[in-house]
Amino acid sequence: MNLAAAANENLANISNVLIYSAMAVYTLAFIAYITEWVFGSRSKVGRTAAALAAPKSADAAASGATSTVTVQVTKKGGGTAVLERPKVVTRSTAGSRDVPDGPGAAGGTEQGDLYGRIAVSLTVLAGLLHVGGVLTRALSVERAPWGNMYEFSITLSMVAVVAYVTFLALGKNVRWIGLPLVTTALLDLGLAVSVLYTDSDQLVPALDSYWLWIHVSCAIVSGAVLYLGAVATLLFLFRDRYEAKLENPDGKQPGALATSILERLPSSASLDKFAYRINATVFPLWTFTLIAGAIWAEKAWGRYWGWDPKEVWTFITWVAYAGYLHARATAGWKGRKAAYLALVAFACFLFNYYGVNMFVTGKHSYAGV
């Protein structure tokens, strides 16, 4: 073995160590996020007591921040007192576009917030280790680290984490997505190292092109950010159903567990807006991914389109997201109907990656497993 090959093997080993280290820190972040949610639920009694003790505010009522219902409280020594406690607002008031959001995973408590900040710090540390693992993998193979499903997977989850941290750095209130993010990052890396792992190797001839940097990088960024939109869409469906039940006091009301979780999420309007902006922003990049793939296909195989399974499912995914964006512009397809379509579109993306790569034979069969 020459010195260059030995150096590359050492870099590959370092990459593996960094990926496993990232998984360990993601696990600690997962525990911290869970703890944040737990302490947030414990603060429920304290928040209710504070709301009962607070005087009514004409400004708050005018802004739509709260609405009230009366309750009777039995005093010591007999007698009752009539108090007013807050009711969750589920729709915007006249003259307002937004609905007040929940207090977040920490439940508005200092202790819960402390664990939330610890969780974010651990996520940043894990993300740095993750980035190091991807970069050393690239150095070990002396190319873009996207030649097989293992490399694509570790890069995809890395980009999702980087996008999440970037949103936080920009001051966006997205810590509620931290728990599902680190959970799926752990699952993705676990699947990558246990099932999809492939030793460092050179590219097959069809992939040995500068278009790998262009086409595949766009696909990775698109998929990672669309994942964040899919999480927001799924949470929107739960929160919207929760709000609908609250608006119908005569119907079945949410259980204690559902209330503890969903009352701390952003409002359904905020979740819907976040998901839509994510999907609408990334759609042009996914469109460019499709076009770049066609140009690369002409360079590699002498044709722009050949109805290969990967090409077909990339186009199906594009059509699904185009349908979602069109539905959002159609009055009868806003809300839950459009959200279901967005989840179908992301399911098409997942099948395009896992299903086509692992179970369908074609020119894009680069799974390496």
Side-chain angles (χ1 to χ4, degrees), residues 88 238-246 254 258-259 262-263:
V88 176
F238 286 111
R239 173 77 189 198
D240 184 68
R241 182 62 56 85
Y242 168 72
E243 293 177 0
K245 288 182 178 180
L246 292 179
T259 298
L262 295 173
E263 72 175 357

Side-chain angles (χ1 to χ4, degrees), residues 221-365:
V221 172
S222 298
V225 181
L226 287 174
Y227 160 76
L228 299 181
V231 172
T233 301
L234 184 62
L235 293 178
F236 158 76
L237 291 173
F238 286 111
R239 173 77 189 198
D240 184 68
R241 182 62 56 85
Y242 168 72
E243 293 177 0
K245 288 182 178 180
L246 292 179
E247 288 185 325
N248 182 21
D250 297 328
K252 184 178 179 181
Q253 293 300 294
L257 178 61
T259 298
S260 177
I261 295 173
L262 295 173
E263 72 175 357
R264 286 179 278 156
L265 288 176
S267 66
S268 62
S270 295
L271 290 168
D272 185 48
K273 184 188 299 182
F274 177 80
Y276 171 69
R277 288 178 175 176
I278 286 287
N279 294 331
T281 301
V282 176
F283 181 72
L285 185 62
W286 185 252
T287 303
F288 178 76
T289 300
L290 182 65
I291 296 172
I295 296 173
W296 189 8
E298 195 278 332
K299 296 288 186 181
W301 301 310
R303 88 291 188 280
Y304 290 99
W305 191 263
W307 297 104
D308 184 76
K310 176 68 71 171
E311 297 170 349
V312 171
W313 276 96
T314 299
F315 180 68
I316 290 174
T317 303
W318 183 89
V319 170
Y321 274 108
Y324 162 76
L325 295 175
H326 177 72
R328 290 293 306 237
T330 305
W333 276 84
K334 291 182 178 179
R336 298 184 67 86
K337 290 181 179 179
Y340 288 132
L341 187 53
L343 291 180
V344 169
F346 188 70
C348 291
F349 172 85
L350 289 179
F351 180 78
N352 185 32
Y353 176 53
Y354 287 105
V356 173
N357 280 356
M358 298 184 70
F359 306 115
V360 181
T361 302
K363 289 183 175 295
H364 292 79
S365 299

Side-chain angles (χ1 to χ4, degrees), residues 25-26 29 33 117-131 161 164-166 168 182:
V25 181
Y26 279 134
Y33 280 118
R117 286 185 279 113
I118 291 173
V120 170
S121 299
L122 290 170
T123 303
V124 172
L125 175 58
L128 292 174
L129 293 170
H130 199 161
V131 170
V161 171
Y164 166 69
V165 173
T166 301
L168 290 175
V182 298

Side-chain angles (χ1 to χ4, degrees), residues 31-314:
I31 295 172
Y33 280 118
I34 287 289
T35 307
E36 178 190 18
W37 280 91
V38 169
F39 277 99
S41 67
R42 289 180 179 178
S43 70
K44 185 176 181 181
V45 174
R47 294 199 310 274
T48 303
L52 288 172
K56 287 194 297 182
S57 169
D59 294 335
S63 66
T66 60
S67 62
T68 60
V69 294
T70 59
V71 294
Q72 287 190 335
V73 180
T74 302
K75 295 181 180 179
K76 290 183 179 180
T80 60
V82 177
L83 301 176
E84 293 183 342
R85 61 180 173 84
K87 180 181 178 182
V88 176
V89 176
T90 59
R91 295 291 181 266
S92 58
T93 57
S96 174
R97 296 180 56 189
D98 298 319
V99 178
D101 289 332
T109 64
E110 291 185 8
Q111 193 168 20
D113 184 63
L114 172 63
Y115 283 104
R117 286 185 279 113
I118 291 173
V120 170
S121 299
L122 290 170
T123 303
V124 172
L125 175 58
L128 292 174
L129 293 170
H130 199 161
V131 170
V134 172
L135 290 179
T136 50
R137 175 75 178 198
L139 293 173
S140 72
V141 294
E142 300 178 347
R143 57 168 172 79
W146 311 316
N148 50 60
M149 284 186 68
Y150 168 74
E151 295 172 353
F152 193 100
S153 292
I154 63 174
T155 308
L156 183 72
S157 54
M158 179 201 74
V159 174
V161 171
V162 170
Y164 166 69
V165 173
T166 301
F167 279 127
L168 290 175
L170 293 175
K172 305 299 181 182
N173 182 21
V174 295
R175 205 163 77 189
W176 48 269
I177 211 172
L179 180 58
L181 174 66
V182 298
T183 303
T184 48
L186 272 171
L187 292 173
D188 175 71
L189 292 180
L191 181 64
V193 300
S194 62
V195 177
L196 305 178
Y197 182 78
T198 304
D199 290 329
S200 299
D201 200 0
Q202 294 306 307
L203 295 171
V204 296
L207 287 180
D208 192 9
S209 168
Y210 62 89
W211 280 102
L212 176 69
W213 292 91
I214 301 173
H215 171 67
V216 183
S217 64
C218 291
I220 290 173
V221 172
S222 298
V225 181
L226 287 174
Y227 160 76
L228 299 181
V231 172
T233 301
L234 184 62
L235 293 178
F236 158 76
L237 291 173
F238 286 111
R239 173 77 189 198
D240 184 68
R241 182 62 56 85
Y242 168 72
E243 293 177 0
K245 288 182 178 180
L246 292 179
E247 288 185 325
N248 182 21
D250 297 328
K252 184 178 179 181
Q253 293 300 294
L257 178 61
T259 298
S260 177
I261 295 173
L262 295 173
E263 72 175 357
R264 286 179 278 156
L265 288 176
S267 66
S268 62
S270 295
L271 290 168
D272 185 48
K273 184 188 299 182
F274 177 80
Y276 171 69
R277 288 178 175 176
I278 286 287
N279 294 331
T281 301
V282 176
F283 181 72
L285 185 62
W286 185 252
T287 303
F288 178 76
T289 300
L290 182 65
I291 296 172
I295 296 173
W296 189 8
E298 195 278 332
K299 296 288 186 181
W301 301 310
R303 88 291 188 280
Y304 290 99
W305 191 263
W307 297 104
D308 184 76
K310 176 68 71 171
E311 297 170 349
V312 171
W313 276 96
T314 299

